[in-house]
């Protein structure tokens, strides 16, 4: 068998049913950057990892394919040097229970498809008059899909300044070329981008980072008619920039230069842009007098006339006579004035039959604004009407409940408010949330969850009248528009009625489920006359209702509006704070009760606002989670914490953990594991030294997804701790399944442990449970010696709290460490 697969020119890998590699031919080993003997006995997931779109099999993408969980997902392989690359994968079961995987490097096809798509989009945007600065960011986003390098940026050559102005940048080192940065000859070292534009050729330079790692910085000019219209600059590890990658970037720059050249000829640009963008439809071009100069094949097929029969004629020979003269008078009045015109009309086929079209006529103007040509585009509506109806329904209606979706809800609200303003009517918007639905969905499964959502939609519908309007705007959120409201009491009564209906028991097989509901209400025109603001107000009021607890509803108030404005200002300040390094870390020690030594630290982020001073974490953390800023903030905290841990390691303080809090927003970041591994690799810190702290509610939000992510992190050595244990909702069965290393007893149980017997019982039970499951147990919030001695007597492993040490700066933490621990 080994000789057989060695003689095959394709890359072949034979694995057993557990995913262990049994045999591999040299072609496959070389493809992944290994020698054959390095891969024999390793898991297939090491080189063909699971997909992030559907991480359902920890054994790798091979078993996702075998189990039918992955169909048309784009598959990626992982080389020895850590780079991923696209592959075409085919799996064949063998008679002996093994599987043969046929792997082909799909990099070239992926590259060409991605670049072709990018080029087509850029071409369309150039044809409608956009400049490089408008789509530079789009080009970088597409290139980043193919080349995940630390820095890519596009600049515009400023001839008068003799320099290059950065239009857009992307990558982990994008701060090195922030937008609007100008590189000129006045800089100490002339940037390769400046030289590339001046020399009109590719220019490269070698640089090194703070760790001495070599990089290649290469600038590729966009050439257009012997002029430079822009430049693409790439910063990549030296070993990753081979001649193949170099040639590809040069081809991209050449292609973009050719596309951008089109914009220099405005007359040709406008004529060509209209014709090319409409090539699938019937198109004809006339001179300024309206006589047809050119028509495409689609036009001759639609009308039945040949090319020679239409050239030189006025398009009026197609008129059916069904449109009145005023129709054509209005049309010509618009296009002669240089304005585009669009409308539906009925024309007559050569055989005399009628057909309905949508026609768009665009005047082509010269540099002085005079009409030189007209471009007409016909769209036959006959075949499209039915398809458009289906597409409109799919795009505007929720497929589960049949209700309008968020998009249609927004449009409908605008229409209703316009009418209400004319009629001087009051309109109410209610946002309704189904409380605890996610918990039921996770427990009973998505099929049962779908049934419940359909039932909830029916129950809410039963509460409104035919003149009112209801939509499903999110997973378990609905919106109701009440028209012509006479008294505010009506709205409160309706909200109460909807919540009562939601609360009615639901029978699911042998189970009976009771859910709750919350509602947020905003009124037009009293709260606002703007539809978007009305939606925001209802949404924010619903958020307040959910915070207040199940089965409550609130009306929007000016006080809440002030809170919203303060929140928005806080979010804006946070974005600046991330750039201006206003965040910093404090560290709180965890002390081993048996040895008295510091066993670990918890990294706590702090924000010193330049005007407001210290901002409480409970304010900015929740805002960061709502806006997505929690992801860059988490990466800042993690990197600072790992950097500090590395500094302590160098001082001889080892065998300590560094805990970092993780929110649910991080779990929605598909690069969570990759980012953690990159930071650990950067500072050469062992993964087992890092501890991610998660709350019980986060664990239970999506049990299956969470288990997959935690298992992947744990397999890579990262420790997992459950924070505030005992305050959330969890199952011992799930707790057993999660790869958890530590339980942290919530401070609310520790607070009165020296006076409340029930708290002692709870703490004792948690410690016993943790030890039975083989977990370390830490008590938070220890504030006095009595609490410490009680916890020690209860066999708690470690403690954390103000009695031992408040959160402190890195310098103070180092002094604390020197007193408690002896360097090794």
């Amino acid at each position: 068998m080994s000789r057989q697969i060695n003689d095959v020119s394709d890359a072949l890998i034979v694995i057993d049913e557990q995913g262990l590699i049994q045999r591999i031919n040299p072609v496959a080993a070389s493809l992944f950057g290994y020698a054959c003997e390095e891969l024999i006995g390793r898991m297939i997931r090491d080189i063909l990892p699971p997909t992030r779109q559907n991480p359902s099999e920890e054994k790798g993408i091979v078993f996702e394919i075998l189990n039918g969980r992955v169909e048309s997902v784009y598959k990626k392989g992982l080389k020895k040097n850590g780079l991923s690359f696209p592959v075409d994968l085919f799996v064949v079961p063998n008679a002996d229970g093994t599987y043969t995987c046929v792997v082909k490097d799909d990099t070239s096809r992926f590259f060409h498809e991605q670049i072709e798509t990018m080029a087509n989009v850029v071409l369309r945007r150039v044809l409608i008059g956009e400049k490089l600065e408008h789509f530079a960011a789009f080009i970088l986003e597409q290139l980043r899909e193919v080349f995940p390098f630390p820095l890519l940026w596009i600049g515009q050559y400023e001839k008068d300044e003799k320099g290059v102005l950065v239009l857009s940048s992307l990558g982990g080192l994008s701060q090195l070329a922030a937008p609007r940065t100008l590189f000129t000859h006045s800089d100490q070292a002339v940037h390769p981008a400046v030289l590339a534009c001046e020399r009109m050729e590719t220019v490269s330079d070698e640089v090194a980072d703070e760790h001495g790692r070599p990089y290649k910085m290469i600038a590729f000019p966009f050439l257009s008619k012997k002029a430079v219209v822009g430049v693409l600059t790439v910063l990549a590890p030296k070993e990753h920039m081979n001649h193949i990658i170099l040639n590809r970037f040069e081809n991209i720059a050449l292609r973009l230069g050719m596309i951008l050249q089109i914009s220099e000829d405005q007359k040709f640009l406008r004529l060509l842009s209209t014709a090319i963008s409409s090539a699938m439809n019937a198109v004809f071009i006339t001179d300024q007098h309206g006589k047809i100069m050119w028509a495409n094949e689609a036009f001759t097929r639609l009308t039945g006339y040949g090319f020679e029969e239409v050239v030189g004629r006025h398009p009026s020979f197609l008129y059916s006579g069904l449109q009145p003269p005023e129709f054509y008078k209005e049309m010509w009045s618009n296009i002669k004035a240089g304005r585009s015109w669009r409308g539906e009309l009925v024309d007559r086929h050569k055989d005399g039959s009628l057909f309905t079209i949508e026609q768009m006529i665009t005047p082509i103007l010269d540099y002085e604004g005079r009409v030189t040509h007209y471009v007409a585009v016909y769209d036959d509506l006959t075949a499209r009407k039915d398809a458009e109806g289906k597409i409109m329904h799919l795009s505007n209606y929720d497929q589960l409940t049949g209700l309008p979706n968020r998009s249609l809800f927004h449009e409908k609200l605008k229409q209703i408010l316009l009418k209400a303003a004319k009629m001087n009517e009051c309109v109410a918007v209610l946002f309704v949330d189904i409380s605890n639905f996610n918990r039921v969905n996770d427990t009973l499964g998505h099929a049962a969850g779908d049934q419940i959502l359909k039932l909830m939609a029916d129950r809410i519908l039963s509460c409104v009248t035919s003149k009112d309007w209801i939509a499903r705007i999110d997973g378990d959120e609905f919106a109701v528009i009440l028209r012509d409201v006479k008294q505010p009491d009506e709205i409160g009564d309706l909200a109460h009625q909807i919540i009562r209906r939601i609360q009615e028991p639901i029978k699911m097989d042998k189970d009976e489920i009771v859910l709750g509901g919350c509602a947020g209400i905003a009124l037009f025109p009293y709260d606002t006359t703007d539809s978007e603001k009305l939606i925001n107000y209802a949404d924010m009021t619903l958020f307040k209702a959910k915070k207040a607890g199940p089965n409550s509803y609130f009306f929007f108030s000016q006080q809440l509006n002030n809170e919203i404005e303060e929140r928005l200002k806080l979010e804006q300040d946070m974005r600046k704070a991330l750039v201006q390094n206003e965040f910093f870390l404090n560290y709180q020690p965890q002390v081993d009760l048996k040895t008295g030594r510091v066993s670990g630290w918890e990294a706590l982020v702090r924000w010193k606002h330049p005007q407001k001073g210290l901002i409480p974490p409970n304010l900015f953390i929740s805002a960061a989670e709502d806006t997505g800023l929690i992801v860059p903030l988490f990466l800042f905290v993690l990197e600072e914490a790992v950097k500090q841990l590395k500094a302590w390691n160098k001082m001889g303080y080892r065998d300590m953990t560094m805990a970092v809090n993780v929110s649910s927003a991080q779990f929605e970041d598909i690069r969570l594991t990759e980012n953690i591994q990159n930071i650990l690799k950067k500072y050469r810190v062992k993964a087992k030294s890092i501890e991610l702290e998660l709350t019980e509610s986060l664990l239970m939000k999506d049990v299956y997804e969470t288990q997959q992510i935690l298992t992947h992190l744990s397999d890579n050595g990262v420790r997992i701790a459950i924070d505030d244990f005992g305050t959330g909702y969890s199952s011992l069965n799930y707790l057993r399944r999660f790869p958890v290393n530590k339980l942290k007893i919530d401070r609310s149980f520790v607070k009165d442990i020296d006076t409340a017997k029930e708290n002692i019982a709870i703490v004792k039970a948690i410690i016993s449970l943790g030890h039975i499951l083989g977990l370390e147990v830490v008590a938070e919030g220890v504030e006095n010696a009595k609490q410490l001695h009680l916890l020690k007597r209860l066999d708690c492993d470690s403690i954390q709290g103000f009695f031992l040490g408040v959160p402190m700066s890195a310098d103070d933490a180092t002094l604390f460490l020197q007193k408690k621990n002896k360097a090794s």
Side-chain angles (χ1 to χ4, degrees):
M1 180 68 176
S2 295
R3 289 188 63 185
Q4 291 176 348
I5 70 170
N6 286 345
D7 294 337
V8 177
S9 60
D10 288 329
L12 299 182
I13 308 170
V14 178
I15 63 171
D16 63 17
E17 59 184 9
Q18 299 303 318
L20 284 172
I21 299 173
Q22 303 296 312
R23 292 178 294 278
I24 184 167
N25 68 356
V27 177
S30 175
L31 178 61
F32 290 94
Y34 292 88
C36 290
E37 56 271 16
E38 289 183 279
L39 289 173
I40 300 297
R42 290 181 65 171
M43 293 295 291
I44 189 67
R45 67 165 179 256
D46 292 343
I47 56 176
L48 291 169
T51 64
R52 289 300 294 137
Q53 293 92 335
N54 184 17
S56 56
E57 283 288 353
E58 64 177 13
K59 297 177 185 177
I61 183 66
V62 174
F63 289 88
E64 293 185 68
I65 293 173
L66 290 169
N67 293 333
R69 293 192 176 100
V70 173
E71 295 174 358
S72 59
V73 75
Y74 206 75
K75 308 171 197 64
K76 288 192 176 182
L78 188 65
K79 291 182 180 287
K80 184 178 181 180
N81 62 9
L83 287 178
S84 61
F85 66 104
V87 297
D88 190 9
L89 179 60
F90 184 65
V91 185
V92 182
N94 300 321
D96 61 357
T98 61
Y99 303 94
T100 299
C101 309
V102 184
V103 188
K104 291 186 178 180
D105 186 346
D106 219 11
T107 303
S108 180
R109 182 176 70 85
F110 179 61
F111 166 76
H112 288 296
E113 288 180 356
Q114 193 80 1
I115 300 309
E116 191 64 31
T117 300
M118 179 194 73
N120 289 338
V121 173
V122 171
L123 177 61
R124 286 197 297 271
R125 296 178 71 165
V126 166
L127 289 173
I128 62 173
E130 290 192 21
K131 299 179 181 178
L132 179 59
E133 62 192 73
H134 298 138
F135 49 78
F138 166 77
I139 294 173
L140 293 179
E141 288 168 2
Q142 299 304 302
L143 292 179
R144 185 100 165 110
E145 288 288 320
V146 187
F147 307 105
F149 292 151
L151 175 63
L152 299 103
W153 63 269
I154 288 178
Q156 180 175 288
Y157 183 48
E158 301 288 336
K159 192 172 182 180
D160 294 338
E161 300 285 346
K162 294 185 178 180
V164 174
L165 179 68
V166 179
L167 299 177
S168 183
S169 62
L170 199 62
L173 297 176
S174 56
Q175 71 276 10
L176 298 179
R180 310 311 300 172
T181 301
L182 181 66
F183 294 107
T184 66
H185 265 290
S186 62
D187 300 329
Q188 290 183 351
V190 182
H191 198 283
V194 178
L195 295 177
C197 291
E198 292 179 347
R199 298 175 184 174
M200 300 179 67
E201 63 182 16
T202 301
V203 174
S204 66
D205 193 8
E206 293 190 6
V207 296
D209 63 13
E210 58 184 357
H211 302 291
R213 186 182 181 188
Y215 285 84
K216 290 276 282 188
M217 183 181 289
I218 309 179
F220 304 89
F222 302 150
L223 302 180
S224 172
K225 289 186 177 179
K226 297 183 179 181
V228 175
V229 293
V231 61
L232 167 66
T233 304
V234 179
L235 180 68
K238 188 175 180 181
E239 65 272 17
H240 293 170
M241 187 57 76
N242 55 37
H243 71 281
I244 296 176
I245 302 296
L246 186 67
N247 287 340
R248 285 176 174 169
F249 271 111
E250 288 184 332
N251 288 336
I252 292 167
L254 179 63
R255 184 80 174 273
L256 290 171
M258 293 171 65
I259 293 173
L260 292 169
Q261 182 176 325
I262 298 171
S263 63
E264 296 182 6
D265 186 11
Q266 291 299 318
K267 180 179 179 180
F268 178 71
L269 168 66
R270 295 175 184 179
L271 182 64
L272 190 61
S273 66
T274 306
I276 292 178
S277 62
S278 308
M280 296 301 293
N281 297 330
V283 180
F284 66 86
I285 301 173
T286 76
D287 60 18
Q288 68 269 37
H289 303 296
K291 291 186 178 181
I292 297 174
M293 299 172 59
W294 175 86
N296 66 357
E297 290 185 14
F299 177 82
T300 59
R301 287 196 303 269
L302 178 64
T303 62
Y305 290 93
F307 181 81
E308 295 78 9
E309 294 178 282
V310 300
V311 171
R313 299 180 66 179
H314 193 279
S316 57
F317 72 91
L318 296 170
Y319 292 177
S320 64
L322 297 180
Q323 280 78 227
E326 292 79 12
F327 177 89
Y328 295 106
K329 183 178 180 181
E330 186 269 336
M331 179 186 76
W332 280 103
S333 174
N334 273 280
I335 61 177
K336 283 184 177 180
R339 297 187 296 268
S340 295
W341 181 89
R342 181 192 293 269
E344 288 188 17
L345 66 155
V346 179
D347 272 351
R348 191 174 297 278
H349 194 271
K350 184 178 181 180
D351 63 11
S353 61
L354 301 175
F355 58 95
T356 303
I357 59 168
E358 180 181 47
Q359 179 177 252
M360 184 176 74
I361 302 176
T362 303
I364 305 300
L365 311 178
D366 62 16
Y367 290 107
E368 296 180 357
R370 295 175 299 194
V371 176
T372 61
H373 300 81
Y374 298 103
V375 177
V377 182
Y378 280 6
D379 192 0
D380 186 359
L381 300 181
T382 308
R384 288 177 51 189
K385 285 293 185 181
D386 185 54
E388 282 181 355
K390 291 179 181 178
I391 293 170
M392 284 292 290
H393 190 275
L394 287 171
S395 62
N396 289 313
Y397 288 85
D398 173 50
Q399 300 308 298
L400 176 64
T401 63
L403 294 174
N405 60 16
R406 177 181 287 272
S407 175
L408 185 55
F409 166 73
H410 280 245
E411 291 302 316
K412 190 67 176 178
L413 180 61
K414 290 178 184 177
Q415 297 171 13
I416 290 173
L417 295 187
L418 283 172
K419 185 176 180 182
K422 294 178 181 178
M423 304 296 291
N424 197 27
E425 293 176 348
C426 173
V427 175
V429 173
L430 282 78
F431 273 24
V432 181
D433 176 80
I434 312 300
S435 304
N436 299 323
F437 172 75
N438 285 338
R439 185 183 300 173
V440 174
N441 199 39
D442 290 337
T443 305
L444 300 181
H446 293 292
D450 288 348
Q451 290 183 39
I452 292 172
L453 283 175
K454 287 191 282 188
L455 177 61
M456 290 300 156
D458 292 338
R459 288 182 177 182
I460 297 172
L461 273 170
S462 70
C463 298
V464 301
T465 65
S466 58
K467 70 176 182 179
D468 300 320
W469 218 75
I470 177 173
R472 182 187 177 200
I473 57 173
D474 205 352
D476 57 356
E477 285 189 13
F478 298 84
V480 180
I481 304 175
L482 302 178
R483 291 189 270 196
D484 194 19
V485 177
K486 303 300 183 184
Q487 297 292 333
D489 290 347
E490 297 177 26
I491 310 163
D493 292 342
L494 176 66
H496 183 66
Q497 182 185 355
I498 289 174
I499 291 171
R500 286 185 60 187
R501 286 241 54 197
I502 291 172
Q503 288 178 282
E504 292 177 6
I506 305 168
K507 291 184 178 180
M508 301 290 293
D509 295 328
K510 297 179 181 180
D511 299 317
E512 186 173 89
I513 301 163
V514 177
L515 297 173
C518 296
I521 305 164
L523 300 177
F524 169 93
Y526 304 109
D527 295 328
T528 180
T529 57
D530 182 82
S531 64
E532 292 300 321
K533 285 185 179 180
L534 198 66
I535 290 169
N536 289 338
Y537 290 168
D539 193 24
M540 293 301 293
T541 312
L542 174 63
F543 181 77
K544 180 179 179 181
K546 289 194 287 186
K547 288 282 187 182
N551 310 319
S552 59
Y553 66 88
F554 286 90
F555 284 85
F556 178 78
S557 65
Q558 188 57 44
Q559 179 184 353
L560 185 58
N561 186 36
N562 294 338
E563 292 174 7
I564 294 170
E565 291 180 356
E566 289 178 9
R567 181 67 172 261
L568 291 173
K569 181 65 170 62
L570 184 69
E571 292 169 7
Q572 293 170 359
D573 289 349
M574 280 188 67
R575 296 180 192 278
K576 295 178 183 176
L578 282 167
V579 177
Q580 296 171 1
N581 298 319
E582 295 172 13
F583 290 101
F584 63 95
L585 296 190
N586 277 344
Y587 303 90
Q588 188 169 32
Q590 296 173 0
V591 175
D592 189 307
L593 279 174
K594 291 184 176 63
T595 65
R597 292 167 57 86
V598 176
S599 58
W601 298 86
E602 181 177 358
L604 301 166
V605 65
R606 298 291 184 260
W607 177 14
K608 188 173 183 181
H609 193 283
Q611 285 81 41
K612 300 177 181 178
L614 286 174
I615 305 291
N618 63 308
L619 289 181
F620 70 80
I621 293 295
S622 61
E625 289 175 343
D626 293 342
T627 58
L629 291 173
I630 194 69
V631 174
L633 182 60
F634 168 76
L635 292 178
F636 164 78
V637 173
L638 180 64
E639 181 157 7
E640 288 295 305
V642 170
K643 190 192 302 182
Q644 183 58 51
L645 187 61
K646 180 66 175 179
W648 285 332
N649 289 165
K650 287 182 177 179
M651 294 170 63
Y653 299 105
R654 300 180 179 87
D655 300 324
M656 296 186 301
T657 59
M658 179 66 76
V660 178
N661 291 284
V662 180
S663 73
S664 59
Q666 261 88 59
F667 272 62
E668 296 171 7
D669 180 12
I670 61 172
R671 298 188 61 189
L672 172 64
T673 304
E674 179 188 347
N675 287 330
I676 292 173
Q677 290 174 339
N678 288 342
I679 291 174
L680 290 173
K681 187 176 180 181
K682 178 179 178 180
Y683 293 99
R684 298 180 181 177
V685 169
K686 294 179 181 178
K688 68 178 182 180
S689 301
I690 297 303
E691 194 169 80
L692 300 183
E693 291 192 3
L694 307 88
T695 61
E696 290 176 271
S697 57
L698 189 156
L699 290 173
M700 302 306 295
K701 185 176 182 182
D702 187 334
V703 174
Y704 179 78
E705 176 74 10
T706 301
Q707 185 182 9
Q708 296 294 310
I709 295 171
L710 291 185
T711 300
H712 188 51
L713 288 166
S714 182
D715 287 346
N716 283 279
V718 177
R719 290 169 55 84
I720 309 297
I722 300 181
D723 196 14
D724 302 336
F725 186 77
T727 60
Y729 169 88
S730 65
S731 159
L732 291 182
N733 179 46
Y734 286 129
L735 184 60
R736 179 177 55 83
R737 285 167 51 187
F738 290 128
V740 175
N741 304 99
K742 181 186 289 185
L743 297 181
K744 297 190 73 177
I745 305 173
D746 186 68
R747 65 184 65 248
S748 62
F749 300 122
V750 176
K751 181 180 179 183
D752 299 319
I753 192 174
D754 50 346
T755 58
K757 291 182 179 180
E758 62 272 18
N759 277 17
I760 295 178
I762 292 171
V763 171
K764 184 178 181 180
I766 293 175
I767 294 171
S768 299
L769 171 65
H771 289 168
I772 289 170
L773 295 174
L775 309 178
E776 181 185 346
V777 181
V778 178
E780 296 183 285
V782 178
E783 297 180 352
N784 56 57
K786 193 171 182 180
Q787 292 171 348
L788 183 150
H789 293 311
L790 276 170
L791 289 165
K792 191 171 184 180
R793 196 176 72 197
L794 293 173
D795 201 25
C796 187
D797 298 304
S798 303
I799 58 174
Q800 178 180 340
F802 286 3
F803 181 66
L804 296 170
V806 299
M808 58 191 82
S809 67
D811 290 341
D812 290 341
T814 302
L815 292 174
F816 184 90
L817 191 58
Q818 289 170 339
K819 292 178 182 179
K820 286 282 185 180
N821 291 20
K822 183 179 179 181
S824 59

